[in-house]
Amino acid sequence: MPPIILICSQDAELYLLLAHILRSEGFEARLAASDDDVADACASAELSAVVLDCAGWPSDVAPLCALLKGSGLPVGALIGGDMRAEHLKLIKAGLDEGITRPLSPSKLLAFLHGISPRSEVSTLNFPAPTEIVFGPHTVVVSGKRIALAPMEMRIFRFLLERQGQISTREQLIEAVWPYPHAVESRTVDVHIGRLRKAFAGLRNLRIRTVYGAGYALEYHDHCCPHILASNGFTAT
């Protein structure tokens, strides 16, 4: 069964265009034209992601985005150039990807391909004897399963690949975002904050702020501590 993408829009022509684009890439589109439609779709379908068309939506999209994120769904939003304030509200509500209108099909598909389930689970081994196992929407760390949004998953993978090194905001933007020129440093901070919240229950893994430099991942085994990121900078 193809991944189902819920398109929240009151623009019928836009929906037909998106449905055509998604179908050609192996996705199935479903339409929701109101908050009630969204609730019904979430209750009745196994959705893979949601795309919010912010233009003309009959209610505030930020609470809707927060509701969808609370259901564990990746959310992208089509945003006009004059919607900076709304975009910030969506980011705070958990938005995974903002796609500036006029629509860029390549950016939309990059977001959707980033969240579609992969055929195999991947494993990344630390030097310490602990495995971190990645699934389509979750990561297992020290036996604890944690749900992560696609962007947070990509950031986490990048930090793991650079274990023991400081990653600047600029490096993260260039490596993780499909269109880095449109991303601000503040956006990185928001996603890092979400990662920290997701890992808050783990005592042996954290992401530090290295003041004046960027971020660094720390990990240690409970029995034999092994710090992956050690340096002389002051950090929290």
Side-chain angles (χ1 to χ4, degrees):
M1 181 177 179
I4 299 173
I5 311 300
L6 186 67
I7 308 296
C8 303
S9 179
Q10 293 202 325
D11 186 336
E13 292 186 2
L14 175 65
Y15 170 72
L16 291 174
L17 173 63
L18 293 177
H20 173 72
I21 293 172
L22 297 182
R23 192 179 306 113
S24 67
E25 293 289 324
F27 298 98
E28 178 182 338
R30 298 278 179 87
L31 176 64
S34 68
D35 289 356
D36 289 341
D37 288 348
V38 175
D40 291 342
C42 291
S44 62
E46 187 66 31
L47 303 177
S48 294
V50 179
V51 175
L52 295 173
D53 176 21
C54 297
W57 189 253
S59 65
D60 188 351
V61 290
L64 182 61
C65 178
L67 177 65
L68 292 166
K69 291 303 299 178
S71 300
L73 288 167
V75 180
L78 305 182
I79 301 169
D82 58 346
M83 299 181 67
R84 185 179 182 87
E86 289 83 353
H87 191 187
L88 182 58
K89 290 181 181 179
L90 286 167
I91 290 175
K92 291 180 178 178
L95 182 68
D96 296 296
E97 191 77 61
I99 303 166
T100 304
R101 299 186 71 168
L103 174 67
S104 168
S106 60
K107 186 169 184 179
L108 173 64
L109 292 173
F111 162 62
L112 295 177
H113 283 304
I115 56 89
S116 23
R118 291 169 172 76
S119 57
E120 297 180 356
V121 171
S122 62
T123 300
L124 177 69
N125 293 317
F126 283 105
T130 299
E131 291 184 336
I132 293 183
V133 182
F134 290 91
H137 305 297
T138 61
V139 59
V140 179
V141 182
S142 300
K144 181 178 180 180
R145 184 175 298 275
I146 301 168
L148 292 179
M151 187 57 69
E152 277 83 65
M153 188 77 79
R154 294 199 289 269
I155 292 173
F156 184 46
R157 282 181 178 272
F158 180 77
L159 292 174
L160 286 176
E161 291 171 0
R162 292 173 55 82
Q163 54 184 278
Q165 301 179 52
I166 299 168
S167 298
T168 67
R169 292 172 178 82
E170 291 74 20
Q171 287 172 327
L172 283 164
I173 290 171
E174 288 292 332
V176 173
W177 272 266
Y179 292 82
H181 65 276
V183 182
E184 299 179 353
S185 296
R186 171 60 182 160
T187 303
V188 177
D189 298 337
V190 170
H191 287 289
I192 290 291
R194 292 180 196 161
L195 273 175
R196 284 177 170 154
K197 184 176 180 180
F199 295 135
L202 296 174
R203 296 183 177 181
N204 62 331
L205 187 150
R206 67 170 180 159
I207 299 171
R208 299 189 301 146
T209 299
V210 182
Y211 290 113
Y215 296 103
L217 181 76
E218 283 188 352
Y219 169 84
H220 65 86
D221 184 84
H222 289 296
C223 298
C224 181
H226 180 76
I227 304 300
L228 294 181
S230 60
N231 50 63
F233 291 91
T234 302
T236 59

